Amino acid sequence: MLYLRENSQSRVAALDSVLLCRPNTSVMLRLLVLGLVLACAVSLSSSAVILENGAPILWAQTASQVTELPMHDGILVPDPWNYLHRMSLYRLMIAATDPFMGSMGTNATDSPLWGLPLQLGWMLTSGRLADPTGATTCGLEAEPLCISTQSWWACVNYFASVLPFLSAAQQGFMGAGAQVQMQVPAGVQDYCTTYSDCKAKYPDAMSKWDAFFQGLKTTSESLLPDDVKKDTILGVYWDAQMASTYASAACNPRQSHYSSVEVSFAHSWLNSAEYVAAARFQTNMEKAVLFLTPLPSRILQEGDSAPNIADLTAEENHTLYIFSWMKTIDSLLGGTLVRLWKGAQVLEQLLLNPSFATSTFLSIISEMTTSC
């Protein structure tokens, strides 16, 4: 069983013992990891753990400067299979792009990039970054910050973290002439590790991320009104995000490690991005937390049937039920649902307002079917 779902006392004692036996493990990291475990332990009966002290999980332990990343022969060599390193990629991208995000609002967390580190934190606390095969201890009690190369969730996230970071570095956001090569575990060959490698394997995704970072600079420096700047930036951002999502189809073989219920949820989760992308939704921290908090706080197993999964909250059950329901309705309508111009507003109401699905939304569906 994943370490975040085990008995809290034995889990803390075991993790404490493991970290104490590692001579290179800092006391600060030890305490923070234990804090993470304790925070998750007391929230097992509530919704997913998304924030820690108002920031993504273990945000304070990530790199705040590019120079804090590991370097070899003048080349940055972060390890995206370490949670802190992968989260650092997000922190550095947010810091580097914030000067160009003025049109998003006056808050420090208004950038649409904030949705990505929050999502990664949810994957960690829900056990979705751990090895689903059970062949290793990656992501379990002995290696809580390890990200498994066999995890479908970690693989999909790779396309939304490593690819944009490599593009950002290529476009000069990480310093002039910065070169980056991602570390990869021995024997693993199906992940690109450099800009040129990823560009060759996933040209559309990398081109879209290049266009985002280039467009971010030119748009923010233009004389356009802020509302036009905002819409333009969100447009190229979601073009890049969806290109990464489509490229992550390369991860599909890893779905065989999960139950059919988890795979169905994963499909619905990916499909939900179509709705927010169609509406150019601003996934700042405030809005992202609303969407991520009711997501399931553990991996789904055979036999789990929303809205009646006993160890999940009413909110988590509701979200799973609505995701399944939306998938069915969209299929019946031949994909029309995803093209609703109020996509993000509809999704927000469906997830956060239980009465919406049986009143307002049904009237929308009725109007659509009668006007076809």
Side-chain angles (χ1 to χ4, degrees):
M1 185 179 295
L2 298 175
Y3 85 98
L4 291 172
R5 308 292 301 183
E6 295 174 347
N7 176 271
S8 60
Q9 291 184 344
S10 62
R11 195 171 49 215
V12 170
L15 181 57
D16 191 33
S17 175
V18 169
L19 293 178
L20 282 172
C21 291
R22 293 182 178 178
N24 294 326
T25 302
S26 71
V27 174
M28 181 64 74
L29 178 57
R30 170 178 170 270
L31 292 175
L32 282 165
V33 173
L34 288 175
L36 170 61
V37 174
L38 288 171
C40 295
V42 299
S43 62
L44 292 182
S45 60
S46 62
S47 296
V49 180
I50 303 298
L51 293 174
E52 180 186 48
N53 297 322
I57 303 298
L58 291 179
W59 188 255
Q61 288 303 293
T62 59
S64 60
Q65 303 289 333
V66 175
T67 53
E68 295 175 26
L69 293 177
M71 183 173 288
H72 180 71
D73 291 338
I75 299 175
L76 296 170
V77 288
D79 179 7
W81 306 106
N82 175 288
Y83 173 81
L84 294 179
H85 283 222
R86 192 178 291 200
M87 186 63 86
S88 293
L89 304 185
Y90 287 135
R91 184 172 182 177
L92 294 171
M93 280 192 287
I94 289 174
T97 56
D98 264 352
F100 308 96
M101 292 287 186
S103 61
M104 294 296 146
T106 58
N107 295 324
T109 56
D110 277 336
S111 168
L113 290 174
W114 277 103
L116 296 173
L118 291 172
Q119 185 171 268
L120 180 61
W122 164 70
M123 291 180 184
L124 175 75
T125 61
S126 65
R128 287 179 166 85
L129 299 180
D131 186 351
T133 70
T136 72
T137 59
C138 183
L140 303 181
E141 182 178 289
E143 301 178 90
L145 299 181
C146 174
I147 297 178
S148 173
T149 58
Q150 292 303 308
S151 164
W152 177 84
W153 294 93
C155 181
V156 170
N157 179 263
Y158 192 91
F159 286 81
S161 56
V162 169
L163 268 63
F165 185 83
L166 290 171
S167 174
Q170 181 71 17
Q171 301 307 319
F173 280 84
M174 298 303 145
Q179 292 182 290
V180 185
Q181 178 162 5
M182 298 293 165
Q183 296 182 40
V184 63
V188 177
Q189 300 179 345
D190 54 347
Y191 288 97
C192 60
T193 59
T194 64
Y195 176 84
S196 59
D197 186 14
C198 291
K199 182 80 169 179
K201 291 181 178 177
Y202 310 105
D204 185 59
M206 293 304 289
S207 294
K208 293 289 175 56
W209 281 114
D210 288 346
F212 165 68
F213 289 111
Q214 293 166 2
L216 183 60
K217 287 183 177 180
T218 57
T219 301
S220 66
E221 295 168 356
S222 73
L223 298 178
L224 295 170
D226 275 356
D227 59 337
V228 177
K229 288 182 181 180
K230 178 179 178 179
D231 189 63
T232 301
I233 291 170
L234 289 174
V236 290
Y237 171 72
W238 279 110
D239 283 347
Q241 271 286 71
M242 293 313 299
S244 272
T245 298
Y246 301 144
S248 71
C251 304
N252 286 351
R254 290 168 171 79
Q255 291 182 357
S256 63
H257 303 316
Y258 300 91
S259 69
S260 61
V261 184
E262 179 75 2
V263 171
S264 179
F265 163 63
H267 289 166
S268 296
W269 176 77
L270 281 181
N271 191 52
S272 69
E274 297 279 2
Y275 295 87
V276 291
R280 298 185 175 184
F281 191 61
Q282 184 181 353
T283 47
N284 58 23
M285 181 181 286
E286 180 183 5
K287 293 178 180 178
V289 167
L290 291 177
F291 278 100
L292 290 168
T293 299
L295 293 182
S297 54
R298 65 164 174 82
I299 293 177
L300 303 176
Q301 305 297 332
E302 299 295 352
D304 285 337
S305 180
N308 301 306
I309 305 176
D311 64 334
L312 296 187
T313 66
E315 292 78 14
E316 291 171 85
N317 270 286
H318 174 69
T319 296
L320 290 171
Y321 180 73
I322 289 299
F323 270 2
S324 176
W325 183 77
M326 287 174 64
K327 183 178 179 181
T328 300
I329 294 297
D330 189 50
S331 178
L332 290 173
L333 294 175
T336 307
L337 180 58
V338 78
R339 293 193 295 271
L340 277 173
W341 72 274
K342 286 187 176 180
Q345 290 89 335
V346 169
L347 182 61
E348 182 174 2
Q349 289 297 315
L350 282 171
L351 295 182
L352 304 179
N353 183 358
S355 67
F356 185 81
T358 56
S359 56
T360 310
F361 189 66
L362 289 182
S363 68
I364 294 174
I365 296 297
S366 176
E367 182 178 346
M368 288 171 59
T369 55
T370 56
S371 62
C372 291

